[in-house]
Short mmCIF file of all heavy atoms in Angstrom, two decimals:
data_model
loop_
_atom_site.label_atom_id
_atom_site.label_comp_id
_atom_site.label_asym_id
_atom_site.label_seq_id
_atom_site.Cartn_x
_atom_site.Cartn_y
_atom_site.Cartn_z
N ASN J 593 20.98 -25.26 -14.08
CA ASN J 593 21.04 -25.48 -12.64
C ASN J 593 19.87 -26.30 -12.13
O ASN J 593 20.04 -27.27 -11.40
CB ASN J 593 21.05 -24.13 -11.90
CG ASN J 593 22.31 -23.35 -12.15
OD1 ASN J 593 23.27 -23.86 -12.72
ND2 ASN J 593 22.33 -22.11 -11.72
N VAL J 594 18.66 -25.88 -12.48
CA VAL J 594 17.48 -26.60 -11.98
C VAL J 594 17.35 -27.95 -12.67
O VAL J 594 16.92 -28.93 -12.05
CB VAL J 594 16.21 -25.74 -12.18
CG1 VAL J 594 15.89 -25.54 -13.65
CG2 VAL J 594 15.01 -26.39 -11.48
N ASN J 595 17.75 -28.05 -13.91
CA ASN J 595 17.67 -29.32 -14.63
C ASN J 595 18.57 -30.38 -14.02
O ASN J 595 18.22 -31.56 -13.98
CB ASN J 595 18.03 -29.13 -16.10
CG ASN J 595 16.87 -28.59 -16.91
OD1 ASN J 595 15.85 -28.20 -16.36
ND2 ASN J 595 17.03 -28.55 -18.21
N VAL J 596 19.74 -29.95 -13.58
CA VAL J 596 20.71 -30.90 -13.03
C VAL J 596 20.11 -31.65 -11.84
O VAL J 596 20.13 -32.89 -11.80
CB VAL J 596 21.99 -30.15 -12.59
CG1 VAL J 596 22.84 -31.03 -11.69
CG2 VAL J 596 22.80 -29.74 -13.82
N ILE J 597 19.56 -30.92 -10.87
CA ILE J 597 19.04 -31.59 -9.68
C ILE J 597 17.71 -32.29 -9.98
O ILE J 597 17.40 -33.32 -9.38
CB ILE J 597 18.91 -30.62 -8.49
CG1 ILE J 597 18.08 -29.39 -8.84
CG2 ILE J 597 20.28 -30.22 -8.00
CD1 ILE J 597 17.95 -28.41 -7.68
N SER J 598 16.93 -31.74 -10.90
CA SER J 598 15.65 -32.37 -11.23
C SER J 598 15.86 -33.71 -11.94
O SER J 598 15.19 -34.70 -11.62
CB SER J 598 14.83 -31.44 -12.13
OG SER J 598 14.42 -30.29 -11.42
N ILE J 599 16.76 -33.75 -12.89
CA ILE J 599 17.02 -34.99 -13.62
C ILE J 599 17.63 -36.04 -12.69
O ILE J 599 17.26 -37.22 -12.72
CB ILE J 599 17.95 -34.73 -14.82
CG1 ILE J 599 17.24 -33.85 -15.85
CG2 ILE J 599 18.39 -36.05 -15.47
CD1 ILE J 599 18.14 -33.38 -16.99
N TYR J 600 18.54 -35.61 -11.83
CA TYR J 600 19.19 -36.53 -10.88
C TYR J 600 18.15 -37.20 -9.99
O TYR J 600 18.12 -38.42 -9.83
CB TYR J 600 20.20 -35.75 -10.05
CG TYR J 600 20.88 -36.57 -8.97
CD1 TYR J 600 21.90 -37.46 -9.29
CD2 TYR J 600 20.49 -36.47 -7.64
CE1 TYR J 600 22.53 -38.21 -8.30
CE2 TYR J 600 21.11 -37.22 -6.64
CZ TYR J 600 22.12 -38.08 -6.98
OH TYR J 600 22.74 -38.82 -5.99
N SER J 601 17.27 -36.40 -9.38
CA SER J 601 16.28 -36.95 -8.45
C SER J 601 15.18 -37.73 -9.18
O SER J 601 14.65 -38.71 -8.65
CB SER J 601 15.66 -35.82 -7.62
OG SER J 601 16.59 -35.36 -6.66
N ALA J 602 14.83 -37.31 -10.39
CA ALA J 602 13.84 -38.06 -11.16
C ALA J 602 14.35 -39.46 -11.46
O ALA J 602 13.60 -40.45 -11.35
CB ALA J 602 13.53 -37.32 -12.46
N ALA J 603 15.61 -39.58 -11.81
CA ALA J 603 16.19 -40.89 -12.11
C ALA J 603 16.19 -41.79 -10.87
O ALA J 603 15.89 -42.99 -10.95
CB ALA J 603 17.61 -40.73 -12.64
N ILE J 604 16.51 -41.21 -9.71
CA ILE J 604 16.51 -41.98 -8.47
C ILE J 604 15.10 -42.43 -8.11
O ILE J 604 14.88 -43.55 -7.64
CB ILE J 604 17.14 -41.15 -7.34
CG1 ILE J 604 18.65 -41.05 -7.55
CG2 ILE J 604 16.84 -41.75 -5.97
CD1 ILE J 604 19.36 -40.21 -6.51
N SER J 605 14.12 -41.56 -8.34
CA SER J 605 12.73 -41.94 -8.08
C SER J 605 12.29 -43.10 -8.96
O SER J 605 11.56 -43.98 -8.52
CB SER J 605 11.80 -40.73 -8.32
OG SER J 605 11.97 -39.76 -7.32
N CYS J 606 12.72 -43.07 -10.22
CA CYS J 606 12.38 -44.17 -11.13
C CYS J 606 12.92 -45.50 -10.61
O CYS J 606 12.24 -46.53 -10.65
CB CYS J 606 12.95 -43.90 -12.51
SG CYS J 606 12.14 -42.57 -13.41
N GLN J 607 14.14 -45.47 -10.07
CA GLN J 607 14.74 -46.70 -9.55
C GLN J 607 13.98 -47.24 -8.34
O GLN J 607 13.99 -48.44 -8.08
CB GLN J 607 16.19 -46.44 -9.15
CG GLN J 607 17.15 -46.37 -10.32
CD GLN J 607 18.59 -46.38 -9.86
OE1 GLN J 607 19.00 -45.52 -9.08
NE2 GLN J 607 19.36 -47.34 -10.32
N GLN J 608 13.32 -46.37 -7.59
CA GLN J 608 12.64 -46.79 -6.37
C GLN J 608 11.16 -47.10 -6.59
O GLN J 608 10.44 -47.39 -5.63
CB GLN J 608 12.79 -45.69 -5.30
CG GLN J 608 14.22 -45.53 -4.86
CD GLN J 608 14.41 -44.36 -3.91
OE1 GLN J 608 14.34 -44.49 -2.71
NE2 GLN J 608 14.62 -43.18 -4.47
N PHE J 609 10.73 -47.05 -7.83
CA PHE J 609 9.32 -47.34 -8.11
C PHE J 609 9.00 -48.82 -7.93
O PHE J 609 7.96 -49.20 -7.42
CB PHE J 609 8.97 -46.89 -9.54
CG PHE J 609 7.53 -47.13 -9.89
CD1 PHE J 609 6.53 -46.32 -9.36
CD2 PHE J 609 7.17 -48.16 -10.73
CE1 PHE J 609 5.20 -46.54 -9.67
CE2 PHE J 609 5.83 -48.40 -11.05
CZ PHE J 609 4.85 -47.58 -10.51
N ALA J 610 9.92 -49.69 -8.35
CA ALA J 610 9.70 -51.13 -8.22
C ALA J 610 11.05 -51.83 -8.28
O ALA J 610 12.02 -51.29 -8.82
CB ALA J 610 8.79 -51.64 -9.33
N ARG J 611 11.12 -53.04 -7.75
CA ARG J 611 12.39 -53.78 -7.74
C ARG J 611 12.98 -53.97 -9.14
O ARG J 611 14.19 -53.79 -9.32
CB ARG J 611 12.19 -55.14 -7.06
CG ARG J 611 11.99 -55.04 -5.55
CD ARG J 611 11.96 -56.45 -4.96
NE ARG J 611 11.62 -56.44 -3.54
CZ ARG J 611 12.47 -56.17 -2.56
NH1 ARG J 611 13.72 -55.88 -2.85
NH2 ARG J 611 12.07 -56.19 -1.31
N PRO J 612 12.17 -54.36 -10.15
CA PRO J 612 12.75 -54.49 -11.49
C PRO J 612 13.34 -53.17 -12.01
O PRO J 612 14.34 -53.18 -12.72
CB PRO J 612 11.55 -54.93 -12.35
CG PRO J 612 10.62 -55.59 -11.38
CD PRO J 612 10.76 -54.81 -10.12
N PHE J 613 12.72 -52.05 -11.63
CA PHE J 613 13.23 -50.75 -12.06
C PHE J 613 14.58 -50.47 -11.41
O PHE J 613 15.42 -49.78 -12.00
CB PHE J 613 12.25 -49.64 -11.68
CG PHE J 613 11.02 -49.59 -12.56
CD1 PHE J 613 10.39 -50.75 -12.98
CD2 PHE J 613 10.49 -48.37 -12.96
CE1 PHE J 613 9.26 -50.71 -13.79
CE2 PHE J 613 9.36 -48.32 -13.77
CZ PHE J 613 8.75 -49.49 -14.18
N ALA J 614 14.78 -50.96 -10.19
CA ALA J 614 16.05 -50.74 -9.49
C ALA J 614 17.21 -51.43 -10.18
O ALA J 614 18.37 -51.03 -10.03
CB ALA J 614 15.94 -51.21 -8.05
N LYS J 615 16.91 -52.48 -10.95
CA LYS J 615 17.97 -53.20 -11.66
C LYS J 615 18.48 -52.42 -12.87
O LYS J 615 19.56 -52.69 -13.38
CB LYS J 615 17.46 -54.56 -12.12
CG LYS J 615 17.16 -55.52 -10.97
CD LYS J 615 16.70 -56.87 -11.49
CE LYS J 615 16.41 -57.84 -10.35
NZ LYS J 615 15.97 -59.16 -10.84
N VAL J 616 17.69 -51.46 -13.33
CA VAL J 616 18.11 -50.63 -14.46
C VAL J 616 19.08 -49.58 -13.94
O VAL J 616 18.77 -48.85 -13.00
CB VAL J 616 16.90 -49.95 -15.12
CG1 VAL J 616 17.35 -49.06 -16.27
CG2 VAL J 616 15.90 -50.99 -15.60
N PRO J 617 20.28 -49.48 -14.50
CA PRO J 617 21.27 -48.51 -14.01
C PRO J 617 20.75 -47.09 -13.99
O PRO J 617 19.93 -46.70 -14.84
CB PRO J 617 22.42 -48.66 -15.03
CG PRO J 617 22.28 -50.04 -15.56
CD PRO J 617 20.80 -50.30 -15.61
N ARG J 618 21.24 -46.33 -13.01
CA ARG J 618 20.78 -44.94 -12.85
C ARG J 618 21.01 -44.12 -14.11
O ARG J 618 20.17 -43.30 -14.50
CB ARG J 618 21.50 -44.29 -11.66
CG ARG J 618 20.99 -42.89 -11.30
CD ARG J 618 21.85 -42.26 -10.23
NE ARG J 618 23.18 -41.96 -10.71
CZ ARG J 618 23.53 -40.87 -11.38
NH1 ARG J 618 22.62 -39.95 -11.66
NH2 ARG J 618 24.77 -40.68 -11.78
N PHE J 619 22.13 -44.33 -14.79
CA PHE J 619 22.43 -43.49 -15.96
C PHE J 619 21.44 -43.75 -17.10
O PHE J 619 21.19 -42.85 -17.92
CB PHE J 619 23.88 -43.67 -16.42
CG PHE J 619 24.19 -44.94 -17.14
CD1 PHE J 619 24.06 -45.03 -18.52
CD2 PHE J 619 24.64 -46.06 -16.45
CE1 PHE J 619 24.35 -46.19 -19.20
CE2 PHE J 619 24.95 -47.24 -17.13
CZ PHE J 619 24.80 -47.30 -18.50
N ILE J 620 20.86 -44.96 -17.15
CA ILE J 620 19.83 -45.23 -18.16
C ILE J 620 18.59 -44.41 -17.86
O ILE J 620 17.97 -43.82 -18.77
CB ILE J 620 19.48 -46.73 -18.20
CG1 ILE J 620 20.71 -47.55 -18.61
CG2 ILE J 620 18.32 -46.98 -19.15
CD1 ILE J 620 21.20 -47.27 -20.01
N TRP J 621 18.20 -44.35 -16.58
CA TRP J 621 17.05 -43.53 -16.20
C TRP J 621 17.30 -42.06 -16.47
O TRP J 621 16.38 -41.32 -16.84
CB TRP J 621 16.71 -43.75 -14.73
CG TRP J 621 16.08 -45.08 -14.44
CD1 TRP J 621 16.59 -46.09 -13.67
CD2 TRP J 621 14.82 -45.55 -14.93
NE1 TRP J 621 15.73 -47.16 -13.66
CE2 TRP J 621 14.64 -46.85 -14.41
CE3 TRP J 621 13.84 -45.00 -15.74
CZ2 TRP J 621 13.50 -47.61 -14.69
CZ3 TRP J 621 12.70 -45.75 -16.02
CH2 TRP J 621 12.54 -47.04 -15.50
N VAL J 622 18.53 -41.62 -16.29
CA VAL J 622 18.88 -40.22 -16.59
C VAL J 622 18.59 -39.92 -18.06
O VAL J 622 17.98 -38.89 -18.39
CB VAL J 622 20.37 -39.95 -16.26
CG1 VAL J 622 20.83 -38.63 -16.88
CG2 VAL J 622 20.58 -39.91 -14.75
N PHE J 623 19.00 -40.81 -18.95
CA PHE J 623 18.79 -40.59 -20.38
C PHE J 623 17.31 -40.68 -20.76
O PHE J 623 16.83 -39.94 -21.63
CB PHE J 623 19.62 -41.58 -21.20
CG PHE J 623 21.10 -41.37 -21.10
CD1 PHE J 623 21.97 -42.43 -20.95
CD2 PHE J 623 21.63 -40.08 -21.11
CE1 PHE J 623 23.34 -42.23 -20.85
CE2 PHE J 623 23.00 -39.87 -21.00
CZ PHE J 623 23.85 -40.95 -20.87
N LEU J 624 16.56 -41.57 -20.10
CA LEU J 624 15.13 -41.67 -20.37
C LEU J 624 14.40 -40.40 -19.91
O LEU J 624 13.50 -39.90 -20.61
CB LEU J 624 14.55 -42.90 -19.68
CG LEU J 624 14.97 -44.26 -20.25
CD1 LEU J 624 14.43 -45.40 -19.38
CD2 LEU J 624 14.46 -44.42 -21.69
N CYS J 625 14.77 -39.89 -18.75
CA CYS J 625 14.17 -38.64 -18.25
C CYS J 625 14.50 -37.49 -19.20
O CYS J 625 13.65 -36.63 -19.46
CB CYS J 625 14.69 -38.33 -16.85
SG CYS J 625 14.05 -39.44 -15.57
N PHE J 626 15.72 -37.49 -19.71
CA PHE J 626 16.13 -36.47 -20.68
C PHE J 626 15.20 -36.47 -21.89
O PHE J 626 14.75 -35.41 -22.36
CB PHE J 626 17.57 -36.73 -21.11
CG PHE J 626 17.96 -36.12 -22.42
CD1 PHE J 626 18.22 -34.76 -22.53
CD2 PHE J 626 18.06 -36.90 -23.57
CE1 PHE J 626 18.58 -34.19 -23.75
CE2 PHE J 626 18.41 -36.35 -24.79
CZ PHE J 626 18.67 -34.99 -24.88
N ALA J 627 14.86 -37.65 -22.39
CA ALA J 627 14.00 -37.76 -23.57
C ALA J 627 12.60 -37.21 -23.29
O ALA J 627 12.02 -36.50 -24.12
CB ALA J 627 13.93 -39.21 -24.02
N VAL J 628 12.06 -37.53 -22.11
CA VAL J 628 10.72 -37.05 -21.76
C VAL J 628 10.71 -35.54 -21.57
O VAL J 628 9.80 -34.84 -22.02
CB VAL J 628 10.22 -37.75 -20.48
CG1 VAL J 628 8.86 -37.20 -20.07
CG2 VAL J 628 10.13 -39.26 -20.71
N ILE J 629 11.73 -35.02 -20.90
CA ILE J 629 11.84 -33.57 -20.68
C ILE J 629 11.88 -32.84 -22.02
O ILE J 629 11.24 -31.80 -22.20
CB ILE J 629 13.11 -33.26 -19.85
CG1 ILE J 629 12.92 -33.71 -18.41
CG2 ILE J 629 13.45 -31.77 -19.90
CD1 ILE J 629 14.20 -33.78 -17.62
N LEU J 630 12.65 -33.38 -22.93
CA LEU J 630 12.78 -32.78 -24.26
C LEU J 630 11.42 -32.71 -24.94
O LEU J 630 11.03 -31.67 -25.51
CB LEU J 630 13.76 -33.60 -25.09
CG LEU J 630 14.57 -32.86 -26.16
CD1 LEU J 630 15.34 -31.72 -25.54
CD2 LEU J 630 15.53 -33.84 -26.82
N GLY J 631 10.66 -33.79 -24.87
CA GLY J 631 9.35 -33.81 -25.51
C GLY J 631 8.39 -32.82 -24.89
O GLY J 631 7.68 -32.10 -25.61
N LEU J 632 8.36 -32.73 -23.56
CA LEU J 632 7.47 -31.79 -22.88
C LEU J 632 7.85 -30.34 -23.17
O LEU J 632 6.98 -29.49 -23.41
CB LEU J 632 7.51 -32.04 -21.37
CG LEU J 632 6.75 -33.25 -20.84
CD1 LEU J 632 7.00 -33.40 -19.35
CD2 LEU J 632 5.26 -33.11 -21.11
N ALA J 633 9.14 -30.05 -23.12
CA ALA J 633 9.60 -28.68 -23.32
C ALA J 633 9.32 -28.20 -24.74
O ALA J 633 8.86 -27.07 -24.95
CB ALA J 633 11.09 -28.57 -23.02
N VAL J 634 9.56 -29.05 -25.71
CA VAL J 634 9.31 -28.67 -27.10
C VAL J 634 7.81 -28.51 -27.34
O VAL J 634 7.35 -27.57 -28.00
CB VAL J 634 9.90 -29.73 -28.07
CG1 VAL J 634 9.44 -29.47 -29.49
CG2 VAL J 634 11.42 -29.73 -27.99
N GLY J 635 7.02 -29.40 -26.74
CA GLY J 635 5.57 -29.33 -26.92
C GLY J 635 4.93 -28.13 -26.24
O GLY J 635 3.94 -27.59 -26.73
N GLY J 636 5.48 -27.70 -25.09
CA GLY J 636 4.86 -26.60 -24.34
C GLY J 636 5.56 -25.27 -24.48
O GLY J 636 5.27 -24.33 -23.74
N ARG J 637 6.45 -25.15 -25.46
CA ARG J 637 7.30 -23.97 -25.55
C ARG J 637 6.54 -22.68 -25.88
O ARG J 637 7.03 -21.58 -25.57
CB ARG J 637 8.39 -24.19 -26.59
CG ARG J 637 7.92 -24.32 -28.03
CD ARG J 637 9.05 -24.76 -28.94
NE ARG J 637 8.68 -24.80 -30.35
CZ ARG J 637 8.02 -25.80 -30.92
NH1 ARG J 637 7.66 -26.84 -30.20
NH2 ARG J 637 7.72 -25.75 -32.22
N GLU J 638 5.36 -22.77 -26.47
CA GLU J 638 4.65 -21.57 -26.88
C GLU J 638 3.68 -21.05 -25.83
O GLU J 638 3.08 -19.99 -26.00
CB GLU J 638 3.87 -21.85 -28.18
CG GLU J 638 4.73 -22.33 -29.34
CD GLU J 638 5.76 -21.30 -29.79
OE1 GLU J 638 5.56 -20.10 -29.49
OE2 GLU J 638 6.76 -21.70 -30.41
#
Side-chain angles (χ1 to χ4, degrees):
N593 293 350
V594 67
N595 279 9
V596 165
I597 54 181
S598 292
I599 294 172
Y600 176 78
S601 287
I604 287 178
S605 289
C606 290
Q607 283 191 302
Q608 294 174 92
F609 182 73
R611 289 187 187 279
F613 285 40
K615 293 182 179 181
V616 178
R618 186 187 67 84
F619 75 89
I620 298 296
W621 287 116
V622 166
F623 292 137
L624 290 174
C625 289
F626 158 76
V628 177
I629 289 165
L630 210 56
L632 284 175
V634 171
R637 67 189 185 279
E638 302 297 339

